[in-house]
Amino acid sequence: MALCLLAERPAHAYIDPGTGSVIYQTALTVILGLGLVLRQSREVVVRFVKRLAGRPAAPEQTATDRD
Amino acid sequence: MRGTRLPGSFRDPAGHVFVADGTLYRQIEPAGREGYDRLMQSGLYAALVADGLLLPHEDLGIRDGGSVIRPERIPMISYPYEWCFSQLRDAALLTLRVQRMAMRFGMSLKDASAYNVQFRRGRPVLIDTLSFEQQRAGPWLAYRQFCQHLYAPLLLWSARDARLGRLQQIFIDGVPLALASRLLPKRSFLRAGPLLHIHLHAAAERRLADRTAPPRNQKGAAPRGVEALVDSLERAITSTRWTPRSEWASYYGDQPSYGPEAFQAKLDLVTGWLDRLRPATVWDLGANTGRFSTVAARHAAHVVAFDADPACVETMYREARAQQVDRVLPLVSDLANPSPAIGWANEERFTLEQRGPADMVLALALIHHLAIGNNVSLPAIAAYLARLGRQLIIEYVPKSDSMVQQMLASRPDMFASYTSEQFEQAFARYFDIELRAALAPSDRMLYLMTARQG
């Protein structure tokens, strides 16, 4: 019995994550990641344009900024 | 270690909780060893406890061949179907904060159950020390559980009806996504949070149920993906709003129906009795705005303020949070239909009574709601209150009172047995009446009683 316990793999996620949910999340995080990249790119462009126009650049926004 | 395993603690192979000599312990199984060691040695435990996000514990090492820790004691266990809107919301935000901090240390939450959160000193805290594992590439497996336990109830409460907060009493693993999606209003499809995490999530669950899941450690879904997911969930939770509006929530400045002198007399008597008795735990039943819970908190170690009206509980919680009151825990509970024992074999979650008895029960401005509003007989009320607490401060509200007159205005008076003599008779069967006082100039009476054993 003790040997069985020693050979047992460490327990992970014992809850049922739901097959559909897992597949959906993978797709969702890609979209959210894209959204994040788009937002960061937009900020880079906006700051660049503002600097070109001679206006002082706004402080850099963090990734968790709300849209 | 010799003890009794808690009946509700059996799902996680990493460990379980048990009680020995009235104290709660957590046993770590070999399967949970790696996660626990990593939690302690990585610095994550210290960081979480420093920010008050995780319940601290004492490591007792090996006892009777098992690895045991003793978590700090939570004075009152409560369940998500007893929480008000802001308590649910704070519990959800806490879970996300914990996940974010865990990821910084290369770890992740294995589950996101609402039952992993309890209230300690007025703030939500994670109590499941064995909920952490090493983060691996791939999706966050706790995502669906988070949406069902901590997001759907919040949305249903704010977008549909506050009374839907009790839905989790029926669904042991949170509100099913498909059900939440059906119950939410159409306009919720226009908001990112509900759309992404409930509606599309539910639709995907339905459509993709038969597919094989991609392998768990696929490179595509990197840990950054979970970060973006957590950010999105946090935005969704933060954007939920609810304003309590209630017929019972009276604000400071309103005169009690039975006059200011009688109210002051009640206040003085309750303060004096509690100051003399100094109970450790007080349950304030029908607490309304928590006026007397606040009084009790000055003379007791811990107060639980119950009210059936979610708006009242919400108001009490917001005030307690704003003023950093840490001794009063407000909870939603209808005394005429209190929380039942639910889960496997009806043993996973405890009834109200099982979580007592309290040292002192306050039943102020309550009896007429039960006896007349709910048709519960006086002996039945007495019998139940005697099981809830060792001592009782109760206010008798006679038929002549304006509140009772209002209740009887539109119905036949079938309450011949509702008199002060029959009240005392009914309660004397289960209590020793220590003191009685009139709340002049009203006809109300205040009693101090001690429940008889056996």
Side-chain angles (χ1 to χ4, degrees), chain A:
Chain A
M1 168 84 162
L3 279 173
C4 284
L5 289 173
L6 285 170
E8 197 177 310
R9 282 176 56 241
H12 300 301
Y14 62 94
I15 60 164
D16 176 11
T19 310
S21 179
V22 167
I23 300 173
Y24 173 68
Q25 193 191 144
T26 309
L28 179 62
T29 51
V30 170
I31 298 170
L32 290 176
L34 276 174
L36 191 69
V37 166
L38 278 171
R39 245 177 283 135
Q40 286 173 334
S41 314
R42 190 185 67 191
E43 278 161 33
V44 167
V45 169
V46 167
R47 266 186 288 120
F48 182 70
V49 168
K50 278 189 175 163
R51 222 176 293 144
L52 273 182
R55 283 203 229 115
E60 184 167 333
Q61 311 276 351
T62 59
T64 51
D65 186 45
R66 297 201 174 74
D67 358 335

Side-chain angles (χ1 to χ4, degrees), chain B residues 94-135:
Chain B
L94 166 84
T95 306
L96 294 175
R97 250 183 100 182
V98 169
Q99 173 64 8
R100 215 186 248 113
M101 190 169 281
M103 289 193 293
R104 259 183 252 143
F105 287 82
M107 300 198 75
S108 181
L109 282 172
K110 289 188 308 198
D111 55 354
S113 160
Y115 299 97
N116 283 352
V117 179
Q118 286 296 333
F119 282 84
R120 165 187 173 253
R121 302 207 200 117
R123 304 299 297 132
V125 73
L126 192 83
I127 59 163
D128 192 355
T129 315
L130 301 179
S131 223
F132 299 93
E133 62 170 356
Q134 184 181 10
Q135 185 171 33

Side-chain angles (χ1 to χ4, degrees), chain B residues 124-391:
Chain B
V125 73
L126 192 83
I127 59 163
D128 192 355
T129 315
L130 301 179
S131 223
F132 299 93
E133 62 170 356
Q134 184 181 10
Q135 185 171 33
R136 54 208 63 249
W140 187 36
L141 299 181
Y143 172 54
R144 185 181 74 158
Q145 195 177 51
F146 181 88
C147 293
Q148 296 196 171
H149 278 242
L150 291 161
Y151 186 39
L154 213 57
L155 270 181
L156 287 170
W157 184 305
S158 57
R160 265 296 183 223
D161 196 293
R163 290 166 292 189
L164 291 174
R166 299 212 67 137
L167 215 51
Q168 276 186 280
Q169 194 179 288
I170 309 173
F171 297 102
I172 192 74
D173 198 21
V175 181
L177 294 174
L179 178 63
S181 181
R182 286 187 75 171
L183 291 178
L184 285 170
K186 293 279 183 292
R187 62 169 187 273
S188 67
F189 278 80
L190 300 173
R191 285 170 47 215
L195 178 67
L196 292 177
H197 303 297
I198 305 290
H199 297 303
L200 292 179
H201 192 176
E205 205 189 25
R206 198 173 53 243
R207 302 263 174 87
L208 306 170
D210 316 319
R211 306 272 190 87
T212 19
R216 290 221 9 236
N217 44 359
Q218 106 182 0
K219 283 298 168 193
R224 300 300 317 268
V226 179
E227 265 178 56
L229 188 69
V230 168
D231 283 350
S232 174
L233 284 169
E234 196 181 57
R235 277 197 300 274
I237 303 287
T238 318
S239 68
T240 59
R241 299 257 188 283
W242 183 67
T243 317
R245 250 182 291 269
S246 160
E247 53 178 300
W248 290 115
S250 58
Y251 299 90
Y252 296 117
D254 277 17
Q255 286 300 328
S257 58
Y258 47 99
E261 299 99 338
F263 181 79
Q264 191 58 46
K266 183 160 83 169
L267 205 56
D268 293 338
L269 281 164
V270 171
T271 307
W273 290 349
L274 287 176
D275 188 35
R276 196 170 9 127
L277 295 164
R278 303 263 159 177
T281 52
V282 176
W283 284 4
D284 187 0
L285 306 177
N288 192 255
T289 56
R291 187 77 177 80
F292 287 87
S293 313
T294 314
V295 169
R298 289 190 216 116
H299 310 283
H302 190 76
V303 180
V304 186
F306 296 97
D307 202 275
D309 185 351
C312 287
V313 179
E314 177 74 12
T315 306
M316 281 195 279
Y317 180 69
R318 286 189 192 184
E319 266 172 36
R321 199 175 52 178
Q323 288 161 40
Q324 296 186 307
V325 170
D326 61 359
R327 289 188 179 200
V328 180
L329 175 66
L331 293 176
V332 182
S333 180
D334 181 359
L335 199 62
N337 186 19
S339 300
I342 61 170
W344 178 259
N346 292 120
E347 283 185 332
E348 285 188 66
R349 314 291 164 218
F350 298 121
T351 68
L352 187 60
E353 191 183 336
Q354 284 171 322
R355 286 174 273 165
D359 289 324
M360 174 66 75
V361 168
L362 301 181
L364 306 171
L366 180 68
I367 189 104
H368 52 306
H369 290 291
L370 298 174
I372 299 189
N374 264 286
N375 292 39
V376 185
S377 73
L378 289 172
I381 298 172
Y384 187 50
L385 291 180
R387 281 152 50 190
L388 291 184
R390 298 192 184 90
Q391 285 195 292

Side-chain angles (χ1 to χ4, degrees), chain B residues 37-85:
Chain B
D37 289 339
R38 194 177 289 271
L39 168 72
M40 301 307 292
Q41 287 153 21
S42 64
L44 176 59
Y45 173 81
L48 287 170
V49 167
D51 278 0
L53 304 179
L54 177 67
L55 190 67
H57 68 265
E58 212 184 302
D59 197 327
L60 301 178
I62 310 288
R63 295 277 179 102
D64 290 326
S67 191
V68 174
I69 62 173
R70 180 171 57 209
E72 191 186 285
R73 191 179 154 268
I74 301 272
M76 177 72 181
I77 294 292
S78 61
Y79 303 123
Y81 40 88
E82 297 170 334
W83 295 341
C84 64
F85 174 78

